[in-house]
Amino acid sequence: MKYGKNRWISYLWIAGIVIGSLGLSGCKSSSQKEEGSIVVENKGKKTKAEASIFAMDTFMTITAYGTQAEEAVQEAQHEIEYLDQLLSAGSSDGEVGEINQNGFGSCSQDTAYLLERSFELHEKTDGAFNVMMYPLMEKWGFISGDYKVPPQEAIDRLLPLTDISKVSYDSKEGKIQFLEKGMKIDFGGIAKGYTSSCIMDIFEQYNISSGIVNLGGNVQVKGKKTDGSDWRVGIRDPKGEKEYLGILSVSDKAVITSGGYERVFEENGVKYHHILDPKTGKPAQGGLDSVTIVCEDGTLADGLSTSLFVMGFEEAQNYWMDHSNEFDMILVANDGTIYVTEGLEDKFESQMTKVHIIRQKNK
Ligand code: ADP
Ligand code: MG
């Protein structure tokens, strides 16, 4: 996977709230010891462990509280490194990278799970979520960083390679084959949410009742803070004018945002970003600056944040009306108006005046 350098900035924006709310300072006290890159702090009976790593081309932090916090954070770090290599579309020595090079291969449990979730989401979102967009991501230069608007004929030539019905997948055997040469899987729209979900499972195994991961601005929390209050997650201003648009108070949730500000370039006065509409092969233009999804399942939150961004303002609301039992969301429209679904009404604090609550029609 390839992510832009402004990810660093994105992390800092979010970290200001997430870390600030934990009452952390930048300096280590005498009770802290550093083991490898894991910082362990003993607070009476409760141990706090924290690690920062760079993976999936973004800056990540993992924080856990509990007697086995250090072990949990260490295993979480290994999991991130493992999944990064396994799922990276362009790597030459990872499973997905090899499948992409060869056009066929065997899927391990993680890859198979993600493929199946991705196929399911493709269907549910009427094709808005499509893990086969990689040939077009390459053509637009979003992988190499050598950005350029491709000629229409190149887009037309590559679009058939994104057709999911040309992926032959045997779920029993875990075997995959592309029916056309040049097709490639890209889990960039779902991998970080899956990774944070896996870390929540690790936290569970190590009896971590309070923990948080921040994978480049995509946040997932376990339980509440150790003082019993909710975690506070800052929602980034997609236009980058304010420090953040508001703060969301959550427990046991993933809070995952997709926006047209991550990897962006400008040509002839037009801005182009890295979330592609599978129908056109071009950056999605649905009237949204960002979509934040809030739900317990990190994989779903990540997949839906990309999907609803592609669907655009109207369709995203319709999708929520039909699936409001599965997730809540915050939409930021192109004009700066914030739309928050009713489940977050008491959880989202904002100084902004233009905040609307989306409610179920049939209530
Ligand atoms: P982030 O860059 O913050 O992870 P997303 O979760 O929205 O944002 O993922 C964007 C990535 O998803 C792109 O970089 C690309 O790898 C992939 N992608 C682009 N368009 C689509 C799409 N329509 N469906 C699924 N994945 C996509
Ligand atoms: Mg996503």
Side-chain angles (χ1 to χ4, degrees):
M1 277 154 284
K2 188 91 183 154
Y3 301 95
K5 293 218 167 47
N6 53 5
R7 277 290 174 163
W8 285 88
I9 301 165
S10 151
Y11 166 76
L12 292 171
W13 286 84
I14 298 291
I17 293 303
V18 171
I19 291 183
S21 66
L22 297 174
L24 276 182
S25 74
C27 333
K28 276 180 235 108
S29 72
S30 55
S31 65
Q32 293 176 326
K33 61 185 171 113
E34 208 164 318
E35 302 203 344
S37 58
I38 304 179
V39 177
V40 181
E41 187 185 333
N42 290 309
K43 269 190 180 172
K45 279 182 274 170
K46 284 278 177 190
T47 302
K48 172 188 164 196
E50 187 164 58
S52 300
I53 67 167
F54 192 79
M56 299 180 179
D57 230 3
T58 195
F59 193 65
M60 306 181 161
T61 56
I62 314 152
T63 310
Y65 294 86
T67 46
Q68 293 173 280
E70 192 176 351
E71 292 88 336
V73 169
Q74 193 163 39
E75 192 163 329
Q77 253 184 318
H78 291 154
E79 182 78 359
I80 289 172
E81 282 155 12
Y82 167 74
L83 290 175
D84 190 11
Q85 196 197 13
L86 184 88
L87 302 175
S88 179
S91 94
S92 52
D93 55 358
E95 188 170 277
V96 171
E98 278 181 22
I99 291 170
N100 284 347
Q101 264 176 17
N102 301 332
F104 64 90
S106 297
C107 302
S108 61
Q109 215 181 334
D110 294 284
T111 307
Y113 176 80
L114 269 185
L115 259 186
E116 285 165 29
R117 292 293 305 263
S118 299
F119 290 155
E120 183 196 343
L121 209 52
H122 180 77
E123 193 142 327
K124 274 177 85 169
T125 63
D126 198 19
F129 190 78
N130 185 331
V131 280
M132 303 305 293
M133 298 306 292
Y134 203 71
L136 277 155
M137 291 295 291
E138 284 180 310
K139 199 68 192 172
W140 280 89
F142 289 120
I143 308 302
S144 64
D146 185 10
Y147 304 130
K148 54 189 170 287
V149 179
Q152 186 61 46
E153 44 162 346
I155 293 176
D156 293 342
R157 187 166 35 83
L158 292 175
L159 268 175
L161 301 183
T162 67
D163 181 352
I164 279 195
S165 70
K166 292 182 192 156
V167 178
S168 156
Y169 175 63
D170 177 346
S171 59
K172 262 202 190 134
E173 298 288 325
K175 299 249 190 267
I176 186 167
Q177 182 162 18
F178 304 143
L179 302 182
E180 238 181 275
K181 200 170 154 43
M183 293 179 79
K184 287 177 182 177
I185 304 169
D186 173 9
F187 286 130
I190 200 167
K192 275 181 280 153
Y194 176 61
T195 304
S196 61
S197 279
C198 291
I199 296 174
M200 295 302 120
D201 292 344
I202 292 170
F203 282 179
E204 190 72 35
Q205 282 162 29
Y206 286 93
N207 295 317
I208 304 299
S209 51
S210 177
I212 182 166
V213 292
N214 185 342
L215 311 185
N218 292 322
V219 173
Q220 190 161 356
V221 302
K222 176 97 174 68
K224 291 177 182 278
K225 291 199 285 180
T226 49
D227 66 4
S229 65
D230 281 341
W231 296 97
R232 287 159 66 76
V233 181
I235 304 300
R236 180 182 163 162
D237 174 6
K239 294 213 193 313
E241 290 161 4
K242 299 190 179 51
E243 204 173 343
Y244 49 85
L245 288 183
I247 300 170
L248 199 57
S249 297
V250 283
S251 59
D252 284 318
K253 291 277 189 298
V255 179
I256 295 189
T257 303
S258 287
Y261 49 75
E262 287 293 349
R263 264 176 284 168
V264 193
F265 71 99
E266 203 169 313
E267 204 176 285
N268 297 327
V270 183
K271 280 191 178 152
Y272 300 92
H273 59 74
H274 73 310
I275 302 176
L276 301 180
D277 183 342
K279 290 198 173 79
T280 62
K282 297 176 185 176
Q285 287 185 318
L288 293 170
D289 278 355
S290 71
V291 175
T292 300
I293 303 290
V294 183
C295 66
E296 275 183 39
D297 177 356
T299 312
L300 180 68
D302 198 359
L304 280 181
S305 70
T306 310
S307 310
L308 269 58
F309 186 88
V310 170
M311 285 179 194
F313 182 63
E314 296 292 336
E315 242 191 277
Q317 291 186 64
N318 293 337
Y319 189 89
W320 179 79
M321 292 289 170
D322 293 341
H323 300 87
S324 58
N325 57 333
E326 293 174 19
F327 69 100
D328 271 296
M329 66 181 183
I330 301 172
L331 305 178
V332 182
N334 289 158
D335 70 357
T337 312
I338 305 170
Y339 296 81
V340 180
T341 53
E342 56 189 348
L344 302 177
E345 192 170 2
D346 303 328
K347 310 262 173 205
F348 183 66
E349 299 160 43
S350 175
Q351 304 289 334
M352 307 284 292
T353 47
K354 293 195 288 183
V355 180
H356 290 268
I357 306 296
I358 305 175
R359 298 185 194 283
Q360 264 300 351
K361 281 183 192 141
N362 50 9
K363 268 197 176 169

